[in-house]
Amino acid sequence: MRRAIDIALRKNAPMMIPTSGDAGRRNDCYVVYLEDQEGHGRFLANELTEHGLQGKWSVDGKNFVEECSVPYTAFPEFKPLIQHYYGGWTFNSRSISSFILKHLLSYPLWRVAWDRLLQAFFNRRQLTRHDRLRVLKYVLAETVKNRNYIAHETELLTQFYTVRWVFRPDKEELMTYYRLLLDALQESGDLKQAQFGLVLDPKAINTIAQYEQEERRHGQNAATQNGIRFLTVILTLVGIAQAVAAIHESWWKK
């Protein structure tokens, strides 16, 4: 444990750790905790000394305020929790073997690099913007599962495109589009304003039913038109065949 803590404290985290934006992407620091056997954080390490760890103690497992030290002989009474803040990510190690393995394999480095590569490909994709009926059907489905469901553009974006939309350069445009779409559904009476946001209005069920009925009618009409075209082609071919047969027969009679 001593060796692992020594490695981590070489990049000891500052008091305030940025976790977002450019500052978060530049992170590369560690926070070392010692937990009791019940998994409650008791000690926040700041410095490795000749006789043990210097840091702060916590009575409630949340606030580390009391200056104290933990001798090396007391290490077996605790379990380590080492948090590595790297590239906007947080990698937790609850065992020395897990920490050493991640450190030797440079796991945070290639894991963040792989994610950024995936994000770059995602950012290059042209996202399909869903129409109002697709959104209305989604809101209906979610309301059936949860009567207190609140429709919001950020939740729609996450469901349709995963959380990667947050890191796209056109995220503001996406948010504006779905905000306008929700406003349009409210204007048409399919959504209504509630205390904490927009919720489904029962009228939406009729809207969806009418649209689906029109879709079925359109499909039936299209099938009929296709059938007529197919029959026309068949009759034309039959007519051509009969004409060819008649010409052939008259030619042989000569």
Side-chain angles (χ1 to χ4, degrees):
M1 183 186 295
R2 180 177 178 178
R3 174 59 176 165
I5 293 176
D6 178 49
I7 293 173
L9 289 181
R10 292 175 189 175
K11 294 182 178 180
N12 195 20
M15 291 294 295
M16 299 296 294
I17 306 173
T19 57
S20 60
D22 292 337
R25 290 170 64 88
R26 292 192 297 268
N27 273 347
D28 185 12
C29 57
Y30 295 86
V31 176
V32 179
Y33 295 99
L34 295 183
E35 298 180 329
D36 59 24
Q37 298 304 316
E38 286 73 38
H40 301 120
R42 294 303 180 194
F43 183 78
L44 172 62
N46 288 329
E47 182 183 1
L48 194 68
T49 66
E50 182 180 354
H51 303 289
L53 277 175
Q54 191 71 28
K56 294 184 178 181
W57 187 262
S58 173
V59 176
D60 58 6
K62 299 178 181 178
N63 301 301
F64 298 85
V65 293
E66 299 180 15
E67 294 285 347
C68 75
S69 61
V70 175
Y72 295 126
T73 55
F75 276 14
E77 301 177 16
F78 298 95
K79 297 183 296 183
L81 169 58
I82 303 177
Q83 295 179 331
H84 187 186
Y85 292 86
Y86 183 84
W89 288 54
T90 304
F91 299 90
N92 294 323
S93 299
R94 292 187 173 275
S95 68
I96 297 303
S97 58
S98 172
F99 171 79
I100 293 297
L101 185 63
K102 291 175 183 175
H103 178 72
L104 292 177
L105 297 178
S106 298
Y107 174 75
L109 174 65
W110 64 260
R111 181 65 183 88
V112 170
W114 174 249
D115 182 76
R116 289 179 179 175
L117 179 63
L118 294 178
Q119 185 67 47
F121 281 117
F122 180 79
N123 289 350
R124 292 172 62 90
R125 282 176 49 194
Q126 184 68 35
L127 298 182
T128 301
R129 295 182 180 181
H130 299 293
D131 59 23
R132 54 183 293 162
L133 185 73
R134 172 70 178 83
V135 171
L136 190 58
K137 284 184 175 181
Y138 172 78
V139 174
L140 173 60
E142 292 302 307
T143 303
V144 170
K145 291 185 287 187
N146 176 16
R147 296 180 61 182
N148 298 319
Y149 174 76
I150 302 294
H152 194 273
E153 60 267 27
T154 56
E155 193 269 341
L156 293 176
L157 285 164
T158 301
Q159 289 297 323
F160 293 153
Y161 310 118
T162 75
V163 294
R164 290 194 180 278
W165 74 268
V166 176
F167 304 102
R168 284 179 63 94
D170 61 346
K171 65 177 182 179
E172 294 297 333
E173 296 178 18
L174 291 169
M175 289 182 65
T176 300
Y177 172 79
Y178 283 99
R179 181 69 256 174
L180 291 173
L181 196 149
L182 290 175
D183 290 342
L185 289 173
Q186 181 185 9
E187 186 70 22
S188 64
D190 296 306
L191 299 181
K192 60 183 178 181
Q193 185 67 42
Q195 182 177 1
F196 299 106
L198 295 175
V199 298
L200 190 76
D201 190 280
K203 176 188 174 183
I205 297 178
N206 293 332
T207 301
I208 294 173
Q210 290 173 2
Y211 181 86
E212 291 179 342
Q213 185 177 5
E214 292 175 1
E215 283 288 293
R216 286 193 296 270
R217 186 181 298 114
H218 176 74
Q220 292 171 354
N221 291 338
T224 301
Q225 292 296 325
N226 290 335
I228 292 174
R229 282 194 289 267
F230 178 75
L231 183 59
T232 301
V233 171
I234 295 298
L235 292 176
T236 301
L237 292 175
V238 170
I240 293 173
Q242 290 176 341
V244 170
I247 294 172
H248 184 269
E249 183 179 355
S250 63
W251 186 82
W252 278 105
K253 285 181 178 181
K254 294 179 180 180

